[in-house]
Amino acid sequence: MIQLLFLVLFAEGAAALLLMVKIGPLRELAMRGVEQAKDGKGPAAVKTLACTLLVIFMSSVASILRIQNRGIKLGTVSPMDQVLWRTHLLEASLIGYILFLAFVIDRLHHYHRKLTILKKAANTSREEVEKLQIELQGKEDKSKEVKKLRAELASLSEKMKKLKSESEEHERQRLEAEAHVNALQKQSEELLLEYDRLLEDNQILQTQVLSLRS
C-alpha cells in the first residue's frame, strides 16, 4: 500500500513538474493528459478515487487517534502499536500530499489555460490596435473620425492593461504553486528517509518479538 502511494505521489510530482517547466512537447502532453482526465468519464473516476483516498486517510487518522488513546489509558505503548502508529501516520501523510498535489495540478492546468486565452486575446487586441493606428494615419483630416478612433484605441489600451494585469496575477499564482510543489518534493524526500528508517525499526521489532516468543 505504501509503495503504491509513493508511486502515485512521484507520478503526480512528475506531472506537476512538467506543467511548471516547459521541456519540449512534454508540457503539451501533460496538459492533454489532464484534459482527458477532465473529459468524459474521467471526472467521475477521479472523484471516486479521491473519495476512496479520503476514506483511507480518515481511517488512518482514526487508527492513529485510537492507538494514542490506548497508550494514554495503559500508560505505555507496545512495540507493535508503535509500528502501527508510524505506518498509519506515513499513510495519512502520503495520502494528504497526494490529494494536495492533485489540487495543485488542477490549478496549474487551469492557470495555463487562462494564460493561453489571455495571450490570444492580447494578440488580437494588439492587431486591432495596429489596425486602428493605420486607420488613424489615413483619416487625420477627419477630426470626428480621429476622435472616435482615438477613443477606441484608448479603450483597447485599457483592455490590454487589464489583460496584462490578469496575466501577471496568474503568473504569480503559478509561481506560488511551483513553490508549493518544490516544498512537497522536499518533504517527499524526507518521507523516503523516514520510510527506510521505519523499515529498519520494523525489522528490529520483529526480531525482538520473535526472540520474546521463543
PDB file of all heavy atoms in Angstrom, residues 5 9 57 60-61 64 86-100 184 187-188 191:
ATOM      1  N   LEU A   5       1.339   4.196  -2.851  1.00  0.00           N
ATOM      2  CA  LEU A   5       1.149   5.621  -2.568  1.00  0.00           C
ATOM      3  C   LEU A   5       2.368   6.432  -2.985  1.00  0.00           C
ATOM      4  O   LEU A   5       2.242   7.538  -3.538  1.00  0.00           O
ATOM      5  CB  LEU A   5       0.861   5.822  -1.075  1.00  0.00           C
ATOM      6  CG  LEU A   5      -0.477   5.279  -0.566  1.00  0.00           C
ATOM      7  CD1 LEU A   5      -0.582   5.458   0.939  1.00  0.00           C
ATOM      8  CD2 LEU A   5      -1.637   5.987  -1.250  1.00  0.00           C
ATOM      9  N   LEU A   9       2.442   9.362  -5.732  1.00  0.00           N
ATOM     10  CA  LEU A   9       2.998  10.667  -5.362  1.00  0.00           C
ATOM     11  C   LEU A   9       4.086  11.100  -6.349  1.00  0.00           C
ATOM     12  O   LEU A   9       4.131  12.259  -6.785  1.00  0.00           O
ATOM     13  CB  LEU A   9       3.566  10.591  -3.950  1.00  0.00           C
ATOM     14  CG  LEU A   9       4.103  11.918  -3.356  1.00  0.00           C
ATOM     15  CD1 LEU A   9       2.975  12.924  -3.224  1.00  0.00           C
ATOM     16  CD2 LEU A   9       4.732  11.673  -1.995  1.00  0.00           C
ATOM     17  N   PHE A  57      -7.643   7.928   4.257  1.00  0.00           N
ATOM     18  CA  PHE A  57      -6.993   8.952   5.082  1.00  0.00           C
ATOM     19  C   PHE A  57      -7.684   9.088   6.439  1.00  0.00           C
ATOM     20  O   PHE A  57      -7.029   9.109   7.499  1.00  0.00           O
ATOM     21  CB  PHE A  57      -7.007  10.281   4.328  1.00  0.00           C
ATOM     22  CG  PHE A  57      -6.481  11.448   5.121  1.00  0.00           C
ATOM     23  CD1 PHE A  57      -5.119  11.636   5.275  1.00  0.00           C
ATOM     24  CD2 PHE A  57      -7.357  12.348   5.707  1.00  0.00           C
ATOM     25  CE1 PHE A  57      -4.627  12.698   5.995  1.00  0.00           C
ATOM     26  CE2 PHE A  57      -6.877  13.420   6.432  1.00  0.00           C
ATOM     27  CZ  PHE A  57      -5.506  13.594   6.578  1.00  0.00           C
ATOM     28  N   SER A  60      -6.969   6.071   8.588  1.00  0.00           N
ATOM     29  CA  SER A  60      -5.620   6.111   9.166  1.00  0.00           C
ATOM     30  C   SER A  60      -5.566   7.076  10.345  1.00  0.00           C
ATOM     31  O   SER A  60      -4.962   6.785  11.382  1.00  0.00           O
ATOM     32  CB  SER A  60      -4.610   6.532   8.096  1.00  0.00           C
ATOM     33  OG  SER A  60      -4.549   5.584   7.048  1.00  0.00           O
ATOM     34  N   VAL A  61      -6.210   8.247  10.178  1.00  0.00           N
ATOM     35  CA  VAL A  61      -6.244   9.219  11.280  1.00  0.00           C
ATOM     36  C   VAL A  61      -6.971   8.642  12.486  1.00  0.00           C
ATOM     37  O   VAL A  61      -6.527   8.802  13.638  1.00  0.00           O
ATOM     38  CB  VAL A  61      -6.906  10.531  10.811  1.00  0.00           C
ATOM     39  CG1 VAL A  61      -7.116  11.480  11.982  1.00  0.00           C
ATOM     40  CG2 VAL A  61      -6.048  11.210   9.748  1.00  0.00           C
ATOM     41  N   ILE A  64      -4.711   6.221  14.204  1.00  0.00           N
ATOM     42  CA  ILE A  64      -3.678   6.928  14.971  1.00  0.00           C
ATOM     43  C   ILE A  64      -4.239   7.416  16.302  1.00  0.00           C
ATOM     44  O   ILE A  64      -3.623   7.241  17.368  1.00  0.00           O
ATOM     45  CB  ILE A  64      -3.135   8.112  14.146  1.00  0.00           C
ATOM     46  CG1 ILE A  64      -2.329   7.592  12.942  1.00  0.00           C
ATOM     47  CG2 ILE A  64      -2.258   9.024  14.995  1.00  0.00           C
ATOM     48  CD1 ILE A  64      -1.950   8.673  11.956  1.00  0.00           C
ATOM     49  N   ARG A  86       3.228   4.474  13.446  1.00  0.00           N
ATOM     50  CA  ARG A  86       4.094   5.101  12.432  1.00  0.00           C
ATOM     51  C   ARG A  86       3.634   4.763  11.021  1.00  0.00           C
ATOM     52  O   ARG A  86       3.672   5.613  10.125  1.00  0.00           O
ATOM     53  CB  ARG A  86       5.541   4.636  12.632  1.00  0.00           C
ATOM     54  CG  ARG A  86       6.159   5.171  13.920  1.00  0.00           C
ATOM     55  CD  ARG A  86       7.575   4.634  14.107  1.00  0.00           C
ATOM     56  NE  ARG A  86       8.186   5.129  15.339  1.00  0.00           N
ATOM     57  CZ  ARG A  86       9.397   4.796  15.758  1.00  0.00           C
ATOM     58  NH1 ARG A  86      10.129   3.943  15.053  1.00  0.00           N
ATOM     59  NH2 ARG A  86       9.883   5.289  16.890  1.00  0.00           N
ATOM     60  N   THR A  87       3.168   3.539  10.825  1.00  0.00           N
ATOM     61  CA  THR A  87       2.685   3.153   9.491  1.00  0.00           C
ATOM     62  C   THR A  87       1.446   3.954   9.097  1.00  0.00           C
ATOM     63  O   THR A  87       1.350   4.472   7.983  1.00  0.00           O
ATOM     64  CB  THR A  87       2.360   1.652   9.456  1.00  0.00           C
ATOM     65  OG1 THR A  87       3.520   0.912   9.820  1.00  0.00           O
ATOM     66  CG2 THR A  87       1.905   1.235   8.064  1.00  0.00           C
ATOM     67  N   HIS A  88       0.494   4.062  10.033  1.00  0.00           N
ATOM     68  CA  HIS A  88      -0.713   4.856   9.742  1.00  0.00           C
ATOM     69  C   HIS A  88      -0.378   6.332   9.542  1.00  0.00           C
ATOM     70  O   HIS A  88      -0.982   6.997   8.698  1.00  0.00           O
ATOM     71  CB  HIS A  88      -1.721   4.708  10.884  1.00  0.00           C
ATOM     72  CG  HIS A  88      -2.395   3.370  10.917  1.00  0.00           C
ATOM     73  ND1 HIS A  88      -3.056   2.835   9.832  1.00  0.00           N
ATOM     74  CD2 HIS A  88      -2.498   2.445  11.912  1.00  0.00           C
ATOM     75  CE1 HIS A  88      -3.547   1.650  10.152  1.00  0.00           C
ATOM     76  NE2 HIS A  88      -3.220   1.383  11.406  1.00  0.00           N
ATOM     77  N   LEU A  89       0.582   6.830  10.307  1.00  0.00           N
ATOM     78  CA  LEU A  89       0.985   8.226  10.142  1.00  0.00           C
ATOM     79  C   LEU A  89       1.594   8.453   8.755  1.00  0.00           C
ATOM     80  O   LEU A  89       1.309   9.459   8.088  1.00  0.00           O
ATOM     81  CB  LEU A  89       1.986   8.616  11.234  1.00  0.00           C
ATOM     82  CG  LEU A  89       2.510  10.063  11.181  1.00  0.00           C
ATOM     83  CD1 LEU A  89       1.365  11.051  11.363  1.00  0.00           C
ATOM     84  CD2 LEU A  89       3.571  10.287  12.264  1.00  0.00           C
ATOM     85  N   LEU A  90       2.431   7.523   8.318  1.00  0.00           N
ATOM     86  CA  LEU A  90       3.041   7.635   6.993  1.00  0.00           C
ATOM     87  C   LEU A  90       1.982   7.560   5.895  1.00  0.00           C
ATOM     88  O   LEU A  90       2.015   8.335   4.931  1.00  0.00           O
ATOM     89  CB  LEU A  90       4.076   6.524   6.809  1.00  0.00           C
ATOM     90  CG  LEU A  90       4.886   6.554   5.498  1.00  0.00           C
ATOM     91  CD1 LEU A  90       5.633   7.864   5.359  1.00  0.00           C
ATOM     92  CD2 LEU A  90       5.844   5.386   5.436  1.00  0.00           C
ATOM     93  N   GLU A  91       1.022   6.639   6.043  1.00  0.00           N
ATOM     94  CA  GLU A  91      -0.045   6.527   5.047  1.00  0.00           C
ATOM     95  C   GLU A  91      -0.874   7.808   4.988  1.00  0.00           C
ATOM     96  O   GLU A  91      -1.192   8.306   3.903  1.00  0.00           O
ATOM     97  CB  GLU A  91      -0.951   5.342   5.385  1.00  0.00           C
ATOM     98  CG  GLU A  91      -0.332   3.985   5.100  1.00  0.00           C
ATOM     99  CD  GLU A  91      -1.286   2.851   5.425  1.00  0.00           C
ATOM    100  OE1 GLU A  91      -2.375   3.142   5.959  1.00  0.00           O
ATOM    101  OE2 GLU A  91      -0.955   1.691   5.156  1.00  0.00           O
ATOM    102  N   ALA A  92      -1.236   8.344   6.144  1.00  0.00           N
ATOM    103  CA  ALA A  92      -2.041   9.568   6.169  1.00  0.00           C
ATOM    104  C   ALA A  92      -1.287  10.733   5.542  1.00  0.00           C
ATOM    105  O   ALA A  92      -1.856  11.529   4.785  1.00  0.00           O
ATOM    106  CB  ALA A  92      -2.438   9.904   7.610  1.00  0.00           C
ATOM    107  N   SER A  93       0.019  10.817   5.839  1.00  0.00           N
ATOM    108  CA  SER A  93       0.823  11.907   5.261  1.00  0.00           C
ATOM    109  C   SER A  93       0.903  11.775   3.743  1.00  0.00           C
ATOM    110  O   SER A  93       0.738  12.760   3.011  1.00  0.00           O
ATOM    111  CB  SER A  93       2.230  11.891   5.867  1.00  0.00           C
ATOM    112  OG  SER A  93       2.186  12.045   7.272  1.00  0.00           O
ATOM    113  N   LEU A  94       1.151  10.562   3.257  1.00  0.00           N
ATOM    114  CA  LEU A  94       1.252  10.355   1.810  1.00  0.00           C
ATOM    115  C   LEU A  94      -0.061  10.670   1.099  1.00  0.00           C
ATOM    116  O   LEU A  94      -0.077  11.326   0.051  1.00  0.00           O
ATOM    117  CB  LEU A  94       1.672   8.911   1.511  1.00  0.00           C
ATOM    118  CG  LEU A  94       3.128   8.548   1.845  1.00  0.00           C
ATOM    119  CD1 LEU A  94       3.347   7.055   1.653  1.00  0.00           C
ATOM    120  CD2 LEU A  94       4.100   9.331   0.978  1.00  0.00           C
ATOM    121  N   ILE A  95      -1.165  10.224   1.674  1.00  0.00           N
ATOM    122  CA  ILE A  95      -2.468  10.491   1.055  1.00  0.00           C
ATOM    123  C   ILE A  95      -2.756  11.989   1.059  1.00  0.00           C
ATOM    124  O   ILE A  95      -3.281  12.544   0.083  1.00  0.00           O
ATOM    125  CB  ILE A  95      -3.575   9.717   1.786  1.00  0.00           C
ATOM    126  CG1 ILE A  95      -3.400   8.215   1.540  1.00  0.00           C
ATOM    127  CG2 ILE A  95      -4.955  10.153   1.316  1.00  0.00           C
ATOM    128  CD1 ILE A  95      -4.329   7.340   2.350  1.00  0.00           C
ATOM    129  N   GLY A  96      -2.409  12.668   2.161  1.00  0.00           N
ATOM    130  CA  GLY A  96      -2.594  14.114   2.197  1.00  0.00           C
ATOM    131  C   GLY A  96      -1.794  14.820   1.120  1.00  0.00           C
ATOM    132  O   GLY A  96      -2.302  15.714   0.424  1.00  0.00           O
ATOM    133  N   TYR A  97      -0.528  14.412   0.949  1.00  0.00           N
ATOM    134  CA  TYR A  97       0.296  15.011  -0.101  1.00  0.00           C
ATOM    135  C   TYR A  97      -0.263  14.700  -1.492  1.00  0.00           C
ATOM    136  O   TYR A  97      -0.234  15.553  -2.393  1.00  0.00           O
ATOM    137  CB  TYR A  97       1.735  14.496   0.006  1.00  0.00           C
ATOM    138  CG  TYR A  97       2.464  14.989   1.233  1.00  0.00           C
ATOM    139  CD1 TYR A  97       3.314  14.140   1.943  1.00  0.00           C
ATOM    140  CD2 TYR A  97       2.299  16.287   1.694  1.00  0.00           C
ATOM    141  CE1 TYR A  97       3.977  14.580   3.085  1.00  0.00           C
ATOM    142  CE2 TYR A  97       2.958  16.735   2.823  1.00  0.00           C
ATOM    143  CZ  TYR A  97       3.796  15.878   3.512  1.00  0.00           C
ATOM    144  OH  TYR A  97       4.450  16.310   4.628  1.00  0.00           O
ATOM    145  N   ILE A  98      -0.764  13.478  -1.681  1.00  0.00           N
ATOM    146  CA  ILE A  98      -1.330  13.108  -2.989  1.00  0.00           C
ATOM    147  C   ILE A  98      -2.542  13.974  -3.319  1.00  0.00           C
ATOM    148  O   ILE A  98      -2.677  14.499  -4.437  1.00  0.00           O
ATOM    149  CB  ILE A  98      -1.703  11.612  -2.996  1.00  0.00           C
ATOM    150  CG1 ILE A  98      -0.432  10.754  -3.045  1.00  0.00           C
ATOM    151  CG2 ILE A  98      -2.611  11.277  -4.174  1.00  0.00           C
ATOM    152  CD1 ILE A  98      -0.693   9.269  -2.838  1.00  0.00           C
ATOM    153  N   LEU A  99      -3.432  14.146  -2.358  1.00  0.00           N
ATOM    154  CA  LEU A  99      -4.618  14.977  -2.593  1.00  0.00           C
ATOM    155  C   LEU A  99      -4.235  16.426  -2.847  1.00  0.00           C
ATOM    156  O   LEU A  99      -4.807  17.099  -3.729  1.00  0.00           O
ATOM    157  CB  LEU A  99      -5.571  14.871  -1.396  1.00  0.00           C
ATOM    158  CG  LEU A  99      -6.201  13.491  -1.168  1.00  0.00           C
ATOM    159  CD1 LEU A  99      -7.019  13.490   0.114  1.00  0.00           C
ATOM    160  CD2 LEU A  99      -7.077  13.102  -2.352  1.00  0.00           C
ATOM    161  N   PHE A 100      -3.244  16.929  -2.106  1.00  0.00           N
ATOM    162  CA  PHE A 100      -2.822  18.315  -2.309  1.00  0.00           C
ATOM    163  C   PHE A 100      -2.167  18.488  -3.677  1.00  0.00           C
ATOM    164  O   PHE A 100      -2.404  19.481  -4.371  1.00  0.00           O
ATOM    165  CB  PHE A 100      -1.858  18.726  -1.193  1.00  0.00           C
ATOM    166  CG  PHE A 100      -1.383  20.154  -1.328  1.00  0.00           C
ATOM    167  CD1 PHE A 100      -2.220  21.208  -1.024  1.00  0.00           C
ATOM    168  CD2 PHE A 100      -0.098  20.426  -1.774  1.00  0.00           C
ATOM    169  CE1 PHE A 100      -1.793  22.523  -1.160  1.00  0.00           C
ATOM    170  CE2 PHE A 100       0.342  21.725  -1.904  1.00  0.00           C
ATOM    171  CZ  PHE A 100      -0.511  22.778  -1.597  1.00  0.00           C
ATOM    172  N   LEU A 184       6.774  20.287  -1.436  1.00  0.00           N
ATOM    173  CA  LEU A 184       6.262  18.921  -1.329  1.00  0.00           C
ATOM    174  C   LEU A 184       7.289  17.897  -1.776  1.00  0.00           C
ATOM    175  O   LEU A 184       7.400  16.809  -1.194  1.00  0.00           O
ATOM    176  CB  LEU A 184       4.994  18.784  -2.174  1.00  0.00           C
ATOM    177  CG  LEU A 184       3.726  19.385  -1.554  1.00  0.00           C
ATOM    178  CD1 LEU A 184       2.595  19.353  -2.561  1.00  0.00           C
ATOM    179  CD2 LEU A 184       3.329  18.639  -0.290  1.00  0.00           C
ATOM    180  N   GLN A 187       9.625  17.443   1.027  1.00  0.00           N
ATOM    181  CA  GLN A 187       9.019  16.637   2.082  1.00  0.00           C
ATOM    182  C   GLN A 187       8.936  15.169   1.672  1.00  0.00           C
ATOM    183  O   GLN A 187       9.036  14.271   2.517  1.00  0.00           O
ATOM    184  CB  GLN A 187       7.631  17.178   2.416  1.00  0.00           C
ATOM    185  CG  GLN A 187       7.657  18.537   3.099  1.00  0.00           C
ATOM    186  CD  GLN A 187       6.265  19.073   3.365  1.00  0.00           C
ATOM    187  OE1 GLN A 187       5.276  18.488   2.948  1.00  0.00           O
ATOM    188  NE2 GLN A 187       6.186  20.194   4.056  1.00  0.00           N
ATOM    189  N   SER A 188       8.740  14.917   0.362  1.00  0.00           N
ATOM    190  CA  SER A 188       8.690  13.535  -0.117  1.00  0.00           C
ATOM    191  C   SER A 188      10.031  12.850   0.100  1.00  0.00           C
ATOM    192  O   SER A 188      10.090  11.676   0.482  1.00  0.00           O
ATOM    193  CB  SER A 188       8.307  13.508  -1.594  1.00  0.00           C
ATOM    194  OG  SER A 188       7.029  14.021  -1.782  1.00  0.00           O
ATOM    195  N   LEU A 191      10.243  11.943   3.594  1.00  0.00           N
ATOM    196  CA  LEU A 191       9.399  10.792   3.885  1.00  0.00           C
ATOM    197  C   LEU A 191      10.071   9.482   3.454  1.00  0.00           C
ATOM    198  O   LEU A 191       9.911   8.447   4.106  1.00  0.00           O
ATOM    199  CB  LEU A 191       8.055  10.947   3.181  1.00  0.00           C
ATOM    200  CG  LEU A 191       7.048  11.864   3.874  1.00  0.00           C
ATOM    201  CD1 LEU A 191       5.845  12.074   2.990  1.00  0.00           C
ATOM    202  CD2 LEU A 191       6.622  11.291   5.218  1.00  0.00           C
TER     203      LEU A 191
END
